[in-house]
Amino acid sequence: MQTERQRVQQMMSAELLPRGWQWQLLLALLKVTVCSSGPAQAANGRTCSAQGPASYILVFTGHWSPQTFPKQYPVYRPPAQWSKLIAVTHNTQYRLWQEGAPASAGVRSFAELGVTVDLVKEAREARKRRAVGTMYRTAGIPSGVGHSSTELLLQPRNPQLSLMVKLIPSPDWFVGVDGLNLCEGDQWRQEVTLDLRPFDAGTDSGFTFSSPDYPTNPPENITQITSQNPSHPANSFYYPRLSELPPLATVRLTRQSKIPADQTPLSNHILRHSIVPQRFSETPLDCEVSLWSSWGLCLGSCTRGGVRHRTRYILLRPANSGAPCPELEEQAECRPLKCPGQN
């Protein structure tokens, strides 16, 4: 199959066009070739034509507290905390992770263990194809509520940002951003704030924060965890009274007026004005109890009749004005065994 360049050469050699038209057609072909290797396409299909790079301060804020997420909140071995944040600048030819798609080997190892070796390897391979710009990191946060930050430098050819942070402890849960485009035509966005909610990498079959390691076979696609999905009372984020979960974390990106002389991929430089305390209402947690036990023996006299009992126990105590626990013991009248008239 002939290429466009070969067809043009044949037309020129056959002198199908006047000599002046031949040169104009050749120049047009060269322009198309140059444009095809020009600025990267943005997420919405538009070309990023910004003049020069843009520097941002990224601030990650965790809101994972026992007031907002009281169910099975991890308090020890280990307590609730956040892993290091991994951020990648890239174009449309690269995806760090994607909802509805299977997790890569790098995403799996990071979501399950917090290990970044495979993620870095995948990003380096993509960089050889000019699909990735730079990878950045922030330090982990040793509690569920806290901040970490880093400086980012985005180029017009790599105007998108993706990131991941693992929940610790959890089977394979994380929060993240997938392909955020920071370039709009010829302008860089000045400020962006995103609320983050949990995702399941689909590689470990645990329902709770402290679930044992049980690989999902075959692996499932990455899905968002909601207040009602997975629809199972054991799910640590199962809050059926809520239409949606409160934000588990927030990412705020603020463009700097000047590009710093020394750009570092690892920092903890948090601008004071970039942190706005957020207060979320307490999440009500209803009491959960077990199923009733079997009825006990019928105790009592044959003349007065007997009584039998059954019990149940508390699985989860209520919190934040949630529904109180029901009765844990129940009794019923019965006729003792071996009374006259019984077989």
Side-chain angles (χ1 to χ4, degrees), residues 4-252:
E4 185 66 21
R5 186 185 296 272
Q6 290 172 332
R7 287 196 294 269
V8 171
Q9 290 176 344
Q10 288 181 359
M11 292 170 63
M12 293 175 64
S13 61
E15 295 185 352
L16 296 177
L17 295 174
R19 186 173 300 275
W21 281 102
Q22 294 174 4
W23 285 108
Q24 292 182 23
L25 191 58
L26 180 60
L27 289 174
L29 179 61
L30 290 174
K31 288 181 180 180
V32 171
T33 303
V34 171
C35 290
S36 65
S37 60
Q41 292 292 319
N44 56 10
R46 297 170 57 190
T47 300
C48 178
S49 56
Q51 299 298 313
S55 178
Y56 289 87
I57 291 289
L58 180 154
V59 178
F60 173 86
T61 304
H63 305 301
W64 188 13
S65 72
Q67 290 74 36
T68 310
F69 300 94
K71 186 173 184 180
Q72 304 168 5
Y73 188 81
V75 294
Y76 61 92
R77 298 183 183 180
Q81 57 190 277
W82 298 96
S83 75
K84 65 187 71 174
L85 177 147
I86 301 298
V88 182
T89 62
H90 59 92
N91 58 35
T92 56
Q93 304 305 311
Y94 172 82
R95 301 296 284 266
L96 177 64
W97 65 275
Q98 182 181 2
E99 182 178 5
S104 66
V107 170
R108 176 173 186 164
S109 61
F110 183 73
E112 291 186 10
L113 306 172
V115 177
T116 62
V117 175
D118 290 334
L119 272 183
V120 172
K121 186 183 301 183
E122 292 170 357
R124 285 176 177 171
E125 288 299 317
R127 191 172 187 179
K128 294 178 182 178
R129 307 191 306 269
R130 300 178 63 83
V132 163
T134 308
M135 175 173 280
Y136 299 87
R137 296 182 302 162
T138 72
I141 304 174
S143 61
V145 177
H147 307 277
S148 67
S149 72
T150 187
E151 296 175 328
L152 307 174
L153 185 66
L154 282 90
Q155 301 285 349
R157 65 176 176 271
N158 294 307
Q160 296 187 30
L161 175 69
S162 294
L163 60 86
M164 292 180 65
V165 190
K166 172 180 170 55
L167 282 72
I168 303 174
S170 73
D172 59 345
W173 303 343
F174 67 95
V175 296
V177 173
D178 173 29
L180 172 65
N181 178 29
L182 290 169
C183 179
E184 296 180 338
D186 61 353
Q187 298 293 324
W188 292 104
R189 300 171 70 174
Q190 293 299 314
E191 186 172 289
V192 179
T193 300
L194 300 174
D195 290 334
L196 307 183
R197 291 177 172 82
F199 283 87
D200 186 326
T203 60
D204 197 298
S205 299
F207 268 130
T208 66
F209 297 120
S210 57
S211 294
D213 183 22
Y214 188 74
T216 303
N217 191 19
E220 299 175 352
N221 292 336
I222 298 173
T223 57
Q224 185 172 3
I225 301 172
T226 69
S227 60
Q228 300 178 44
N229 182 42
S231 183
H232 194 290
N235 176 18
S236 292
F237 285 112
Y238 185 67
Y239 294 94
R241 291 176 56 177
L242 301 180
S243 58
E244 66 175 357
L245 291 173
L248 195 60
T250 300
V251 165
R252 182 169 183 174

Side-chain angles (χ1 to χ4, degrees), residues 297-309 331-337 339:
L297 294 175
C298 185
L299 304 176
S301 64
C302 293
T303 55
R304 295 183 178 181
V307 176
R308 60 179 180 172
H309 295 79
Q331 66 179 30
E333 295 181 353
C334 60
R335 186 171 181 79
L337 295 174
C339 284

